[in-house]
Amino acid sequence: MDTNDNLHKDADGNLENVNNTDQNPQDMPENDMNTESTTNVEATTVTPAETVTSEDIKDEKVEAPAETLKETETTTDNDDDSDDHVEDVEAQTLPDTDYNTLEMPALVASLRQLIQDFPINTIKTHVDDIKKAFESKDQEAEKEARDEFVKANPATEEAPAPEFVYDNPISKEFNDLHSLYRKQRGEFQRQQRKEQEDNLEKRKNIIESIKNLIDEEENIGTTFKKFNALQQEWKNTGKIPHDAYNIVWNDYRLHTQNFYDYIDLSKELRDKDFERNLDFHNKIIARAEELGNEPDIHKALRELQELHRMWKEDAGPVAKEHRDPIWDKFSAATKVIHDKRQAYYEERDKLADKNQTIKQNIIAEIKKLQQLVPKIIKDGRTV
């Protein structure tokens, strides 16, 4: 992994979560198309492959219209409490540490290492675990210090007990380091938001250009090439603010459909596009089904996320009779992976609970042993 010195500069960007697979089906218009169309656009042939990955599929050129797909909606908020699952997936290469076993100096060192060596947007889960462990240790240290202070400074008839003041230098060091993390995370998120706003303007301009294609008086083949170029530009545009996503996507989809109604592609060309796009969808499905057997759940989730993006943004339309069946197959393959993810986290939580019980039993045994320590009496004898 490339490392970044986050004590001095920001890290790279967030992933989108593909957890929610509830879809809203919309069908593309099924107009009867003129077989005598003047369009000279050739469908790109997709070469079948027995085994493909998302990288193999992604390399194939898809110039077909953006289908009104059943969308996989996502939620990515921009505050400190967001993206927990995304970060669990992306941060799989971070050190696997039980922070509850570390003392406060080691926790400070661990936090510093994370900020220095890893992208700031991938460490939130680990930072939260470190913070929780540190606060627990700090509370224990404060209680111990308070008990010792009260014992050493009892109240008397002449004067009340002095006020206890807890001053732990390592706590200040930890809090300063955690504040630095929050500052860098905030700066990263503000930069991401600015980039997303710029991308939103780009996508609005693309939509406007597609709308204007209908009014251009030129050879329909030339117009279609311009449309394909605008589609590619749309795919190459980065993320936009999530709160604008649905509106912009629906607007793009509407004017894409209007354009295809306008150019009235021949039925023969449309059928070729449908056949090629069906093959493309089936390759995505096949890869998703293979991921169900992937032992590394984090790797499977990352690639599944990319497959969902390709399904939505890269794959073109298919014949109406195939739309629901292929989506059902893809959804079923997706559910297998999400079920494995759920089982993984449930097993991890069970293990954490078991470890907690073991630690509590050890503490109880230590307390019993402390009660058996012999007491010293004045003449040197022990009882």
Side-chain angles (χ1 to χ4, degrees), residues 95-130:
D96 187 10
T97 305
D98 184 359
Y99 295 109
N100 292 316
T101 64
L102 302 183
E103 295 302 324
M104 286 189 285
L107 291 170
V108 171
S110 295
L111 178 57
R112 187 182 302 279
Q113 180 189 5
L114 290 177
I115 296 175
Q116 289 177 329
D117 296 344
F118 296 92
I120 204 70
N121 63 305
T122 66
I123 61 176
K124 180 179 182 296
T125 300
H126 281 252
V127 171
D128 288 347
D129 290 343
I130 290 174

PDB file of all heavy atoms in Angstrom, residues 95-130:
ATOM      1  N   PRO A  95      -3.090  -2.983  10.649  1.00  0.00           N
ATOM      2  CA  PRO A  95      -2.713  -3.997  11.648  1.00  0.00           C
ATOM      3  C   PRO A  95      -3.919  -4.507  12.412  1.00  0.00           C
ATOM      4  O   PRO A  95      -4.761  -3.722  12.865  1.00  0.00           O
ATOM      5  CB  PRO A  95      -1.743  -3.234  12.574  1.00  0.00           C
ATOM      6  CG  PRO A  95      -2.015  -1.789  12.321  1.00  0.00           C
ATOM      7  CD  PRO A  95      -2.436  -1.687  10.889  1.00  0.00           C
ATOM      8  N   ASP A  96      -3.998  -5.824  12.558  1.00  0.00           N
ATOM      9  CA  ASP A  96      -5.103  -6.449  13.286  1.00  0.00           C
ATOM     10  C   ASP A  96      -4.697  -6.545  14.760  1.00  0.00           C
ATOM     11  O   ASP A  96      -3.978  -7.459  15.150  1.00  0.00           O
ATOM     12  CB  ASP A  96      -5.391  -7.831  12.697  1.00  0.00           C
ATOM     13  CG  ASP A  96      -6.638  -8.444  13.298  1.00  0.00           C
ATOM     14  OD1 ASP A  96      -7.371  -7.734  14.020  1.00  0.00           O
ATOM     15  OD2 ASP A  96      -6.872  -9.641  13.065  1.00  0.00           O
ATOM     16  N   THR A  97      -5.162  -5.589  15.542  1.00  0.00           N
ATOM     17  CA  THR A  97      -4.705  -5.463  16.925  1.00  0.00           C
ATOM     18  C   THR A  97      -5.891  -5.420  17.880  1.00  0.00           C
ATOM     19  O   THR A  97      -6.898  -4.769  17.602  1.00  0.00           O
ATOM     20  CB  THR A  97      -3.874  -4.170  17.099  1.00  0.00           C
ATOM     21  OG1 THR A  97      -2.812  -4.165  16.150  1.00  0.00           O
ATOM     22  CG2 THR A  97      -3.306  -4.071  18.506  1.00  0.00           C
ATOM     23  N   ASP A  98      -5.750  -6.119  19.008  1.00  0.00           N
ATOM     24  CA  ASP A  98      -6.723  -6.002  20.093  1.00  0.00           C
ATOM     25  C   ASP A  98      -6.264  -4.845  20.983  1.00  0.00           C
ATOM     26  O   ASP A  98      -5.408  -5.016  21.844  1.00  0.00           O
ATOM     27  CB  ASP A  98      -6.806  -7.312  20.881  1.00  0.00           C
ATOM     28  CG  ASP A  98      -7.877  -7.251  21.969  1.00  0.00           C
ATOM     29  OD1 ASP A  98      -8.536  -6.193  22.113  1.00  0.00           O
ATOM     30  OD2 ASP A  98      -8.043  -8.257  22.691  1.00  0.00           O
ATOM     31  N   TYR A  99      -6.810  -3.666  20.740  1.00  0.00           N
ATOM     32  CA  TYR A  99      -6.332  -2.474  21.429  1.00  0.00           C
ATOM     33  C   TYR A  99      -6.632  -2.502  22.930  1.00  0.00           C
ATOM     34  O   TYR A  99      -5.987  -1.793  23.697  1.00  0.00           O
ATOM     35  CB  TYR A  99      -6.946  -1.227  20.791  1.00  0.00           C
ATOM     36  CG  TYR A  99      -6.496  -1.014  19.370  1.00  0.00           C
ATOM     37  CD1 TYR A  99      -7.368  -1.204  18.299  1.00  0.00           C
ATOM     38  CD2 TYR A  99      -5.188  -0.645  19.079  1.00  0.00           C
ATOM     39  CE1 TYR A  99      -6.959  -1.029  16.991  1.00  0.00           C
ATOM     40  CE2 TYR A  99      -4.750  -0.470  17.769  1.00  0.00           C
ATOM     41  CZ  TYR A  99      -5.645  -0.657  16.732  1.00  0.00           C
ATOM     42  OH  TYR A  99      -5.234  -0.491  15.442  1.00  0.00           O
ATOM     43  N   ASN A 100      -7.581  -3.321  23.343  1.00  0.00           N
ATOM     44  CA  ASN A 100      -7.896  -3.407  24.777  1.00  0.00           C
ATOM     45  C   ASN A 100      -6.745  -4.017  25.582  1.00  0.00           C
ATOM     46  O   ASN A 100      -6.704  -3.881  26.806  1.00  0.00           O
ATOM     47  CB  ASN A 100      -9.178  -4.229  24.991  1.00  0.00           C
ATOM     48  CG  ASN A 100     -10.400  -3.515  24.471  1.00  0.00           C
ATOM     49  OD1 ASN A 100     -10.562  -2.318  24.688  1.00  0.00           O
ATOM     50  ND2 ASN A 100     -11.266  -4.234  23.782  1.00  0.00           N
ATOM     51  N   THR A 101      -5.826  -4.700  24.910  1.00  0.00           N
ATOM     52  CA  THR A 101      -4.696  -5.327  25.617  1.00  0.00           C
ATOM     53  C   THR A 101      -3.510  -4.374  25.759  1.00  0.00           C
ATOM     54  O   THR A 101      -2.540  -4.713  26.423  1.00  0.00           O
ATOM     55  CB  THR A 101      -4.233  -6.586  24.855  1.00  0.00           C
ATOM     56  OG1 THR A 101      -3.730  -6.196  23.564  1.00  0.00           O
ATOM     57  CG2 THR A 101      -5.392  -7.563  24.675  1.00  0.00           C
ATOM     58  N   LEU A 102      -3.565  -3.212  25.119  1.00  0.00           N
ATOM     59  CA  LEU A 102      -2.441  -2.283  25.139  1.00  0.00           C
ATOM     60  C   LEU A 102      -2.575  -1.268  26.265  1.00  0.00           C
ATOM     61  O   LEU A 102      -3.685  -0.888  26.653  1.00  0.00           O
ATOM     62  CB  LEU A 102      -2.348  -1.526  23.805  1.00  0.00           C
ATOM     63  CG  LEU A 102      -2.199  -2.386  22.542  1.00  0.00           C
ATOM     64  CD1 LEU A 102      -2.055  -1.489  21.326  1.00  0.00           C
ATOM     65  CD2 LEU A 102      -1.006  -3.320  22.652  1.00  0.00           C
ATOM     66  N   GLU A 103      -1.440  -0.823  26.770  1.00  0.00           N
ATOM     67  CA  GLU A 103      -1.431   0.246  27.762  1.00  0.00           C
ATOM     68  C   GLU A 103      -1.490   1.587  27.033  1.00  0.00           C
ATOM     69  O   GLU A 103      -1.330   1.673  25.811  1.00  0.00           O
ATOM     70  CB  GLU A 103      -0.167   0.156  28.626  1.00  0.00           C
ATOM     71  CG  GLU A 103      -0.093  -1.106  29.470  1.00  0.00           C
ATOM     72  CD  GLU A 103      -1.284  -1.252  30.404  1.00  0.00           C
ATOM     73  OE1 GLU A 103      -1.768  -0.224  30.929  1.00  0.00           O
ATOM     74  OE2 GLU A 103      -1.740  -2.404  30.584  1.00  0.00           O
ATOM     75  N   MET A 104      -1.694   2.667  27.808  1.00  0.00           N
ATOM     76  CA  MET A 104      -1.926   3.977  27.204  1.00  0.00           C
ATOM     77  C   MET A 104      -0.782   4.441  26.303  1.00  0.00           C
ATOM     78  O   MET A 104      -1.042   4.960  25.207  1.00  0.00           O
ATOM     79  CB  MET A 104      -2.246   5.008  28.293  1.00  0.00           C
ATOM     80  CG  MET A 104      -3.649   4.839  28.862  1.00  0.00           C
ATOM     81  SD  MET A 104      -4.163   6.190  29.952  1.00  0.00           S
ATOM     82  CE  MET A 104      -3.186   5.781  31.411  1.00  0.00           C
ATOM     83  N   PRO A 105       0.484   4.311  26.674  1.00  0.00           N
ATOM     84  CA  PRO A 105       1.551   4.743  25.756  1.00  0.00           C
ATOM     85  C   PRO A 105       1.512   3.993  24.425  1.00  0.00           C
ATOM     86  O   PRO A 105       1.740   4.583  23.365  1.00  0.00           O
ATOM     87  CB  PRO A 105       2.833   4.445  26.537  1.00  0.00           C
ATOM     88  CG  PRO A 105       2.428   4.467  27.970  1.00  0.00           C
ATOM     89  CD  PRO A 105       1.040   3.901  27.995  1.00  0.00           C
ATOM     90  N   ALA A 106       1.217   2.695  24.476  1.00  0.00           N
ATOM     91  CA  ALA A 106       1.153   1.912  23.237  1.00  0.00           C
ATOM     92  C   ALA A 106      -0.041   2.330  22.387  1.00  0.00           C
ATOM     93  O   ALA A 106       0.028   2.312  21.154  1.00  0.00           O
ATOM     94  CB  ALA A 106       1.065   0.417  23.570  1.00  0.00           C
ATOM     95  N   LEU A 107      -1.131   2.726  23.031  1.00  0.00           N
ATOM     96  CA  LEU A 107      -2.298   3.197  22.284  1.00  0.00           C
ATOM     97  C   LEU A 107      -1.988   4.509  21.575  1.00  0.00           C
ATOM     98  O   LEU A 107      -2.392   4.723  20.423  1.00  0.00           O
ATOM     99  CB  LEU A 107      -3.492   3.373  23.231  1.00  0.00           C
ATOM    100  CG  LEU A 107      -4.077   2.079  23.796  1.00  0.00           C
ATOM    101  CD1 LEU A 107      -5.090   2.379  24.891  1.00  0.00           C
ATOM    102  CD2 LEU A 107      -4.733   1.260  22.687  1.00  0.00           C
ATOM    103  N   VAL A 108      -1.260   5.395  22.256  1.00  0.00           N
ATOM    104  CA  VAL A 108      -0.847   6.655  21.618  1.00  0.00           C
ATOM    105  C   VAL A 108       0.048   6.362  20.417  1.00  0.00           C
ATOM    106  O   VAL A 108      -0.108   6.953  19.346  1.00  0.00           O
ATOM    107  CB  VAL A 108      -0.128   7.567  22.635  1.00  0.00           C
ATOM    108  CG1 VAL A 108       0.488   8.769  21.931  1.00  0.00           C
ATOM    109  CG2 VAL A 108      -1.084   8.018  23.720  1.00  0.00           C
ATOM    110  N   ALA A 109       0.978   5.443  20.580  1.00  0.00           N
ATOM    111  CA  ALA A 109       1.880   5.087  19.485  1.00  0.00           C
ATOM    112  C   ALA A 109       1.106   4.482  18.316  1.00  0.00           C
ATOM    113  O   ALA A 109       1.410   4.756  17.146  1.00  0.00           O
ATOM    114  CB  ALA A 109       2.945   4.113  19.989  1.00  0.00           C
ATOM    115  N   SER A 110       0.105   3.665  18.614  1.00  0.00           N
ATOM    116  CA  SER A 110      -0.687   3.044  17.554  1.00  0.00           C
ATOM    117  C   SER A 110      -1.464   4.099  16.774  1.00  0.00           C
ATOM    118  O   SER A 110      -1.535   4.048  15.538  1.00  0.00           O
ATOM    119  CB  SER A 110      -1.660   2.024  18.147  1.00  0.00           C
ATOM    120  OG  SER A 110      -0.974   0.946  18.740  1.00  0.00           O
ATOM    121  N   LEU A 111      -2.049   5.063  17.485  1.00  0.00           N
ATOM    122  CA  LEU A 111      -2.788   6.125  16.819  1.00  0.00           C
ATOM    123  C   LEU A 111      -1.860   6.956  15.930  1.00  0.00           C
ATOM    124  O   LEU A 111      -2.189   7.289  14.789  1.00  0.00           O
ATOM    125  CB  LEU A 111      -3.474   7.018  17.857  1.00  0.00           C
ATOM    126  CG  LEU A 111      -4.259   8.213  17.305  1.00  0.00           C
ATOM    127  CD1 LEU A 111      -5.328   7.752  16.318  1.00  0.00           C
ATOM    128  CD2 LEU A 111      -4.893   9.020  18.438  1.00  0.00           C
ATOM    129  N   ARG A 112      -0.686   7.254  16.444  1.00  0.00           N
ATOM    130  CA  ARG A 112       0.263   8.041  15.665  1.00  0.00           C
ATOM    131  C   ARG A 112       0.672   7.281  14.384  1.00  0.00           C
ATOM    132  O   ARG A 112       0.783   7.870  13.304  1.00  0.00           O
ATOM    133  CB  ARG A 112       1.499   8.347  16.510  1.00  0.00           C
ATOM    134  CG  ARG A 112       2.478   9.322  15.831  1.00  0.00           C
ATOM    135  CD  ARG A 112       3.705   9.545  16.706  1.00  0.00           C
ATOM    136  NE  ARG A 112       3.345  10.051  18.024  1.00  0.00           N
ATOM    137  CZ  ARG A 112       3.072  11.347  18.273  1.00  0.00           C
ATOM    138  NH1 ARG A 112       3.139  12.231  17.288  1.00  0.00           N
ATOM    139  NH2 ARG A 112       2.750  11.725  19.497  1.00  0.00           N
ATOM    140  N   GLN A 113       0.897   5.989  14.526  1.00  0.00           N
ATOM    141  CA  GLN A 113       1.293   5.187  13.360  1.00  0.00           C
ATOM    142  C   GLN A 113       0.199   5.182  12.303  1.00  0.00           C
ATOM    143  O   GLN A 113       0.479   5.294  11.107  1.00  0.00           O
ATOM    144  CB  GLN A 113       1.607   3.757  13.790  1.00  0.00           C
ATOM    145  CG  GLN A 113       2.030   2.864  12.618  1.00  0.00           C
ATOM    146  CD  GLN A 113       2.139   1.402  13.007  1.00  0.00           C
ATOM    147  OE1 GLN A 113       1.807   1.033  14.135  1.00  0.00           O
ATOM    148  NE2 GLN A 113       2.587   0.571  12.087  1.00  0.00           N
ATOM    149  N   LEU A 114      -1.061   5.035  12.719  1.00  0.00           N
ATOM    150  CA  LEU A 114      -2.163   5.018  11.765  1.00  0.00           C
ATOM    151  C   LEU A 114      -2.234   6.337  10.992  1.00  0.00           C
ATOM    152  O   LEU A 114      -2.402   6.345   9.770  1.00  0.00           O
ATOM    153  CB  LEU A 114      -3.489   4.777  12.499  1.00  0.00           C
ATOM    154  CG  LEU A 114      -3.713   3.381  13.079  1.00  0.00           C
ATOM    155  CD1 LEU A 114      -5.026   3.337  13.837  1.00  0.00           C
ATOM    156  CD2 LEU A 114      -3.706   2.329  11.979  1.00  0.00           C
ATOM    157  N   ILE A 115      -2.098   7.451  11.692  1.00  0.00           N
ATOM    158  CA  ILE A 115      -2.190   8.760  11.045  1.00  0.00           C
ATOM    159  C   ILE A 115      -1.034   8.961  10.068  1.00  0.00           C
ATOM    160  O   ILE A 115      -1.206   9.531   8.988  1.00  0.00           O
ATOM    161  CB  ILE A 115      -2.220   9.878  12.103  1.00  0.00           C
ATOM    162  CG1 ILE A 115      -3.480   9.760  12.972  1.00  0.00           C
ATOM    163  CG2 ILE A 115      -2.179  11.252  11.456  1.00  0.00           C
ATOM    164  CD1 ILE A 115      -3.529  10.743  14.123  1.00  0.00           C
ATOM    165  N   GLN A 116       0.134   8.479  10.434  1.00  0.00           N
ATOM    166  CA  GLN A 116       1.310   8.674   9.591  1.00  0.00           C
ATOM    167  C   GLN A 116       1.331   7.759   8.373  1.00  0.00           C
ATOM    168  O   GLN A 116       1.727   8.175   7.283  1.00  0.00           O
ATOM    169  CB  GLN A 116       2.586   8.435  10.410  1.00  0.00           C
ATOM    170  CG  GLN A 116       2.884   9.517  11.429  1.00  0.00           C
ATOM    171  CD  GLN A 116       4.120   9.185  12.256  1.00  0.00           C
ATOM    172  OE1 GLN A 116       4.408   8.021  12.492  1.00  0.00           O
ATOM    173  NE2 GLN A 116       4.828  10.197  12.693  1.00  0.00           N
ATOM    174  N   ASP A 117       0.892   6.513   8.546  1.00  0.00           N
ATOM    175  CA  ASP A 117       1.164   5.488   7.534  1.00  0.00           C
ATOM    176  C   ASP A 117      -0.016   5.123   6.643  1.00  0.00           C
ATOM    177  O   ASP A 117       0.187   4.422   5.644  1.00  0.00           O
ATOM    178  CB  ASP A 117       1.672   4.205   8.213  1.00  0.00           C
ATOM    179  CG  ASP A 117       2.997   4.421   8.924  1.00  0.00           C
ATOM    180  OD1 ASP A 117       3.663   5.440   8.653  1.00  0.00           O
ATOM    181  OD2 ASP A 117       3.356   3.573   9.763  1.00  0.00           O
ATOM    182  N   PHE A 118      -1.236   5.557   6.970  1.00  0.00           N
ATOM    183  CA  PHE A 118      -2.392   5.101   6.213  1.00  0.00           C
ATOM    184  C   PHE A 118      -3.265   6.276   5.784  1.00  0.00           C
ATOM    185  O   PHE A 118      -3.287   7.305   6.454  1.00  0.00           O
ATOM    186  CB  PHE A 118      -3.227   4.112   7.050  1.00  0.00           C
ATOM    187  CG  PHE A 118      -2.501   2.846   7.376  1.00  0.00           C
ATOM    188  CD1 PHE A 118      -1.773   2.729   8.562  1.00  0.00           C
ATOM    189  CD2 PHE A 118      -2.518   1.776   6.495  1.00  0.00           C
ATOM    190  CE1 PHE A 118      -1.089   1.571   8.867  1.00  0.00           C
ATOM    191  CE2 PHE A 118      -1.833   0.614   6.802  1.00  0.00           C
ATOM    192  CZ  PHE A 118      -1.118   0.505   7.980  1.00  0.00           C
ATOM    193  N   PRO A 119      -3.989   6.130   4.669  1.00  0.00           N
ATOM    194  CA  PRO A 119      -4.916   7.182   4.234  1.00  0.00           C
ATOM    195  C   PRO A 119      -5.909   7.516   5.333  1.00  0.00           C
ATOM    196  O   PRO A 119      -6.449   6.627   5.990  1.00  0.00           O
ATOM    197  CB  PRO A 119      -5.605   6.559   3.013  1.00  0.00           C
ATOM    198  CG  PRO A 119      -4.615   5.561   2.500  1.00  0.00           C
ATOM    199  CD  PRO A 119      -3.922   5.003   3.714  1.00  0.00           C
ATOM    200  N   ILE A 120      -6.175   8.791   5.514  1.00  0.00           N
ATOM    201  CA  ILE A 120      -6.968   9.248   6.649  1.00  0.00           C
ATOM    202  C   ILE A 120      -8.395   8.741   6.599  1.00  0.00           C
ATOM    203  O   ILE A 120      -9.048   8.601   7.624  1.00  0.00           O
ATOM    204  CB  ILE A 120      -6.950  10.798   6.715  1.00  0.00           C
ATOM    205  CG1 ILE A 120      -7.236  11.293   8.141  1.00  0.00           C
ATOM    206  CG2 ILE A 120      -7.913  11.406   5.710  1.00  0.00           C
ATOM    207  CD1 ILE A 120      -6.133  11.017   9.123  1.00  0.00           C
ATOM    208  N   ASN A 121      -8.902   8.424   5.387  1.00  0.00           N
ATOM    209  CA  ASN A 121     -10.287   7.973   5.267  1.00  0.00           C
ATOM    210  C   ASN A 121     -10.449   6.475   5.490  1.00  0.00           C
ATOM    211  O   ASN A 121     -11.562   5.964   5.414  1.00  0.00           O
ATOM    212  CB  ASN A 121     -10.835   8.332   3.882  1.00  0.00           C
ATOM    213  CG  ASN A 121     -10.087   7.627   2.778  1.00  0.00           C
ATOM    214  OD1 ASN A 121      -8.871   7.740   2.695  1.00  0.00           O
ATOM    215  ND2 ASN A 121     -10.786   6.895   1.936  1.00  0.00           N
ATOM    216  N   THR A 122      -9.336   5.755   5.776  1.00  0.00           N
ATOM    217  CA  THR A 122      -9.437   4.299   5.931  1.00  0.00           C
ATOM    218  C   THR A 122      -9.227   3.835   7.366  1.00  0.00           C
ATOM    219  O   THR A 122      -9.219   2.638   7.620  1.00  0.00           O
ATOM    220  CB  THR A 122      -8.397   3.590   5.042  1.00  0.00           C
ATOM    221  OG1 THR A 122      -7.079   3.915   5.512  1.00  0.00           O
ATOM    222  CG2 THR A 122      -8.526   4.018   3.597  1.00  0.00           C
ATOM    223  N   ILE A 123      -9.039   4.768   8.298  1.00  0.00           N
ATOM    224  CA  ILE A 123      -8.617   4.345   9.638  1.00  0.00           C
ATOM    225  C   ILE A 123      -9.653   4.621  10.720  1.00  0.00           C
ATOM    226  O   ILE A 123      -9.381   4.426  11.899  1.00  0.00           O
ATOM    227  CB  ILE A 123      -7.287   5.023  10.037  1.00  0.00           C
ATOM    228  CG1 ILE A 123      -7.438   6.551  10.073  1.00  0.00           C
ATOM    229  CG2 ILE A 123      -6.180   4.612   9.085  1.00  0.00           C
ATOM    230  CD1 ILE A 123      -6.188   7.281  10.547  1.00  0.00           C
ATOM    231  N   LYS A 124     -10.838   5.073  10.349  1.00  0.00           N
ATOM    232  CA  LYS A 124     -11.815   5.503  11.348  1.00  0.00           C
ATOM    233  C   LYS A 124     -12.173   4.392  12.337  1.00  0.00           C
ATOM    234  O   LYS A 124     -12.233   4.616  13.550  1.00  0.00           O
ATOM    235  CB  LYS A 124     -13.083   6.021  10.683  1.00  0.00           C
ATOM    236  CG  LYS A 124     -14.142   6.493  11.681  1.00  0.00           C
ATOM    237  CD  LYS A 124     -15.370   7.019  10.978  1.00  0.00           C
ATOM    238  CE  LYS A 124     -16.374   7.518  11.999  1.00  0.00           C
ATOM    239  NZ  LYS A 124     -16.884   6.467  12.872  1.00  0.00           N
ATOM    240  N   THR A 125     -12.417   3.192  11.828  1.00  0.00           N
ATOM    241  CA  THR A 125     -12.800   2.089  12.720  1.00  0.00           C
ATOM    242  C   THR A 125     -11.696   1.803  13.742  1.00  0.00           C
ATOM    243  O   THR A 125     -11.963   1.637  14.939  1.00  0.00           O
ATOM    244  CB  THR A 125     -13.090   0.825  11.898  1.00  0.00           C
ATOM    245  OG1 THR A 125     -14.159   1.089  10.994  1.00  0.00           O
ATOM    246  CG2 THR A 125     -13.478  -0.329  12.815  1.00  0.00           C
ATOM    247  N   HIS A 126     -10.447   1.782  13.280  1.00  0.00           N
ATOM    248  CA  HIS A 126      -9.326   1.539  14.183  1.00  0.00           C
ATOM    249  C   HIS A 126      -9.165   2.691  15.180  1.00  0.00           C
ATOM    250  O   HIS A 126      -8.907   2.462  16.360  1.00  0.00           O
ATOM    251  CB  HIS A 126      -8.038   1.352  13.374  1.00  0.00           C
ATOM    252  CG  HIS A 126      -7.902  -0.008  12.776  1.00  0.00           C
ATOM    253  ND1 HIS A 126      -7.007  -0.946  13.229  1.00  0.00           N
ATOM    254  CD2 HIS A 126      -8.578  -0.615  11.766  1.00  0.00           C
ATOM    255  CE1 HIS A 126      -7.125  -2.052  12.513  1.00  0.00           C
ATOM    256  NE2 HIS A 126      -8.066  -1.874  11.613  1.00  0.00           N
ATOM    257  N   VAL A 127      -9.308   3.926  14.695  1.00  0.00           N
ATOM    258  CA  VAL A 127      -9.181   5.078  15.591  1.00  0.00           C
ATOM    259  C   VAL A 127     -10.257   5.042  16.666  1.00  0.00           C
ATOM    260  O   VAL A 127      -9.989   5.312  17.844  1.00  0.00           O
ATOM    261  CB  VAL A 127      -9.248   6.396  14.791  1.00  0.00           C
ATOM    262  CG1 VAL A 127      -9.348   7.594  15.736  1.00  0.00           C
ATOM    263  CG2 VAL A 127      -8.027   6.542  13.900  1.00  0.00           C
ATOM    264  N   ASP A 128     -11.476   4.695  16.283  1.00  0.00           N
ATOM    265  CA  ASP A 128     -12.559   4.606  17.271  1.00  0.00           C
ATOM    266  C   ASP A 128     -12.257   3.539  18.319  1.00  0.00           C
ATOM    267  O   ASP A 128     -12.522   3.737  19.519  1.00  0.00           O
ATOM    268  CB  ASP A 128     -13.880   4.289  16.573  1.00  0.00           C
ATOM    269  CG  ASP A 128     -14.412   5.471  15.779  1.00  0.00           C
ATOM    270  OD1 ASP A 128     -13.890   6.593  15.971  1.00  0.00           O
ATOM    271  OD2 ASP A 128     -15.330   5.284  14.957  1.00  0.00           O
ATOM    272  N   ASP A 129     -11.719   2.390  17.883  1.00  0.00           N
ATOM    273  CA  ASP A 129     -11.376   1.320  18.829  1.00  0.00           C
ATOM    274  C   ASP A 129     -10.257   1.770  19.779  1.00  0.00           C
ATOM    275  O   ASP A 129     -10.286   1.477  20.982  1.00  0.00           O
ATOM    276  CB  ASP A 129     -10.939   0.066  18.072  1.00  0.00           C
ATOM    277  CG  ASP A 129     -12.085  -0.606  17.352  1.00  0.00           C
ATOM    278  OD1 ASP A 129     -13.244  -0.309  17.676  1.00  0.00           O
ATOM    279  OD2 ASP A 129     -11.812  -1.440  16.466  1.00  0.00           O
ATOM    280  N   ILE A 130      -9.273   2.480  19.224  1.00  0.00           N
ATOM    281  CA  ILE A 130      -8.179   2.980  20.062  1.00  0.00           C
ATOM    282  C   ILE A 130      -8.712   3.986  21.078  1.00  0.00           C
ATOM    283  O   ILE A 130      -8.354   3.943  22.264  1.00  0.00           O
ATOM    284  CB  ILE A 130      -7.085   3.622  19.182  1.00  0.00           C
ATOM    285  CG1 ILE A 130      -6.354   2.541  18.380  1.00  0.00           C
ATOM    286  CG2 ILE A 130      -6.089   4.404  20.033  1.00  0.00           C
ATOM    287  CD1 ILE A 130      -5.360   3.093  17.380  1.00  0.00           C
TER     288      ILE A 130
END
